Amino acid sequence: MALKHLFILVAALAAVLVASAADTMTGVFDERIKSLQVRLDGNDFAAPVVVLGSSDRIRIDFDHLAEDREYFRYSLQHCDARWQPSGLVDSEFLDGFNEGSIEDYGYSQATVVHYVHYSLTIPNEEVAPTISGNYLLRIYRENEPDEPLLQCRFMVSEQTVPVSAFLTSRTDVDYNKAHQQLEICVDTERADVEDIYNDLRVVVQQNGRLDSERALLRPMRTSGRKAYFEHTPELIFEGGNEYRRFETVSEYYPGIGVESIDFQNPYRHFYLFVDEPRADKPYLYDQTQHGRYFIRRQGAAESDYEADYGVVHFELDMPQISDGSMIFIDGDFVHRRFDPESEMRFNPVTQRYERAMLLKQGAYNYQYLLVPPGAMRGYTAPIEGDSYQTDNEYLIKIYHRRRGDRYDRLIGVHQIIDN
């Protein structure tokens, strides 16, 4: 009986620990907030990372579907390498007060859907991070600070460790077939790392996906002040396929991937060509943006304010899956979350998986991921297929916690694209 009670106690404790893990993923929690983008200001293709002490800025843009401006405020939270709150007080990671108001806004112009567009850059005169690491920015109404409307991730790096990486399709599991493998070298000569074998945490991300992110805690070998991470399963990634894409830049003429356009009051509807699984088809190269999207309206001087919203219809011609697996759309425009907004639902009438969502005019990248029952990550193989030739983008982040420190420093970030 005592052993049974012990098992119950352990299970209860585990449940509490899981429940206490904070949701720190980029996301939107109000249906009227749309088109959230987090970028390095001036470089739409770079990861949202600024170098500590530099002139770099993170830019956050979003729309509020409303007729008039609301007063939004924001605050920052410092997080550890696992994106959980680090426990630091504001004065330990910020210069200034940990709260600011969003003053950069503008009204939509000549659009069917009315909205107010907001922009914010970090650091600014009100808020400036003083240490490296992971940061979570939350935006809320002025009188409701405990109810965030949205949150987004960005990073501050010291860039004290040069990182080099080699990508190959000759992997430890197959040879020029379905996978890609990384080899990483971290040079700690200019960083204050006491034990390079035990004090580093290397995190690797493919195409901005969070579900397949990998973490390595120890190098395979070291040489002097260099740590080598190689020949380990954590550095072998499914090749996937090139992202699918569509463009809704014109409200009059179908763009790439769009079959037809129809106005049904109060929205314009963009019907995409019906997608088909590509798992059994030969690999076909297509230059994509690895899941990113760009707001754009044909002929507009300022697309941020002139691009309209329309309902985009996704269809996947695929038999219904009977084992309980779910299909999700993956891309920056759904914030890489597996939630009802990105889930494809099977329509028994059309015998297809479908999803419709309100999106701002622009150029979009997306793919379909299959998530098995109980799984926390998606797989490209069943729908998109896995090809070793695929051009994938990898983001490598190097974290270090010094002895006696209470937070994880981000000491290096490196981005590579397989071309």
Side-chain angles (χ1 to χ4, degrees), residues 274-348:
V274 176
D275 288 319
E276 296 180 351
R278 299 184 290 176
D280 297 327
K281 296 182 179 180
Y283 168 79
L284 180 64
Y285 172 76
D286 185 22
Q287 186 175 6
T288 68
Q289 286 75 47
H290 309 287
R292 295 180 176 87
Y293 73 100
F294 305 95
I295 301 303
R296 194 174 301 147
R297 181 181 183 179
Q298 185 174 316
E302 292 285 347
S303 291
D304 283 342
Y305 306 100
E306 298 178 52
D308 211 339
Y309 277 86
V311 178
V312 177
H313 296 262
F314 298 83
E315 289 187 83
L316 176 63
D317 190 5
M318 179 174 173
Q320 185 174 17
I321 303 171
S322 59
D323 66 356
S325 295
M326 305 171 74
I327 298 175
F328 292 91
I329 298 174
D330 170 62
D332 280 355
F333 66 101
V334 292
H335 315 304
R336 311 290 181 159
R337 284 176 172 260
F338 297 150
D339 59 17
E341 178 71 11
S342 60
E343 182 187 356
M344 298 288 289
R345 296 294 183 88
F346 188 76
N347 185 337

Side-chain angles (χ1 to χ4, degrees), residues 141-329:
R141 290 186 174 88
E142 187 175 37
N143 59 346
E144 298 176 341
D146 296 326
E147 298 182 17
L149 300 172
L150 62 92
Q151 64 187 27
C152 54
R153 293 177 172 185
F154 70 91
M155 293 159 283
V156 177
S157 177
E158 299 175 13
Q159 292 300 90
T160 54
V161 292
V163 180
S164 58
F166 173 71
L167 186 66
T168 180
S169 57
R170 302 174 181 179
T171 75
D172 293 341
V173 295
D174 57 24
Y175 186 95
N176 287 351
K177 287 186 177 180
H179 295 83
Q180 296 174 351
Q181 184 165 333
L182 278 167
E183 295 178 3
I184 300 170
C185 174
V186 180
D187 187 349
T188 66
E189 183 67 33
R190 296 189 295 112
D192 184 18
V193 180
E194 294 183 12
D195 184 351
I196 64 174
Y197 188 77
N198 293 299
D199 293 350
L200 297 177
R201 182 183 184 91
V202 176
V203 178
V204 184
Q205 189 179 86
Q206 183 195 59
N207 297 330
R209 287 177 55 186
L210 302 177
D211 62 302
S212 62
E213 193 173 65
R214 315 287 175 81
L216 299 92
L217 303 181
R218 286 183 175 83
M220 178 63 68
R221 61 186 177 91
T222 62
S223 177
R225 300 299 299 168
K226 294 182 178 180
Y228 293 88
F229 298 83
E230 55 194 7
H231 297 293
T232 176
E234 287 79 12
L235 290 179
I236 301 175
F237 289 81
E238 293 93 345
N241 209 330
E242 306 297 346
Y243 275 74
R244 304 172 192 256
R245 56 194 177 111
F246 67 89
E247 292 186 358
T248 56
V249 297
S250 171
E251 58 266 48
Y252 305 109
Y253 306 102
I256 294 173
V258 179
E259 183 175 23
S260 64
I261 304 172
D262 184 30
F263 184 79
Q264 302 171 26
N265 193 39
Y267 299 118
R268 187 172 285 104
H269 291 251
F270 296 87
Y271 294 90
L272 305 185
F273 284 102
V274 176
D275 288 319
E276 296 180 351
R278 299 184 290 176
D280 297 327
K281 296 182 179 180
Y283 168 79
L284 180 64
Y285 172 76
D286 185 22
Q287 186 175 6
T288 68
Q289 286 75 47
H290 309 287
R292 295 180 176 87
Y293 73 100
F294 305 95
I295 301 303
R296 194 174 301 147
R297 181 181 183 179
Q298 185 174 316
E302 292 285 347
S303 291
D304 283 342
Y305 306 100
E306 298 178 52
D308 211 339
Y309 277 86
V311 178
V312 177
H313 296 262
F314 298 83
E315 289 187 83
L316 176 63
D317 190 5
M318 179 174 173
Q320 185 174 17
I321 303 171
S322 59
D323 66 356
S325 295
M326 305 171 74
I327 298 175
F328 292 91
I329 298 174

Side-chain angles (χ1 to χ4, degrees), residues 3 10 30 35 71 90 112 152 165 174 221 225 269 296 412:
L3 184 59
V10 171
D30 186 298
S35 304
Y71 291 90
D90 295 348
V112 173
C152 54
D174 57 24
R221 61 186 177 91
R225 300 299 299 168
H269 291 251
R296 194 174 301 147

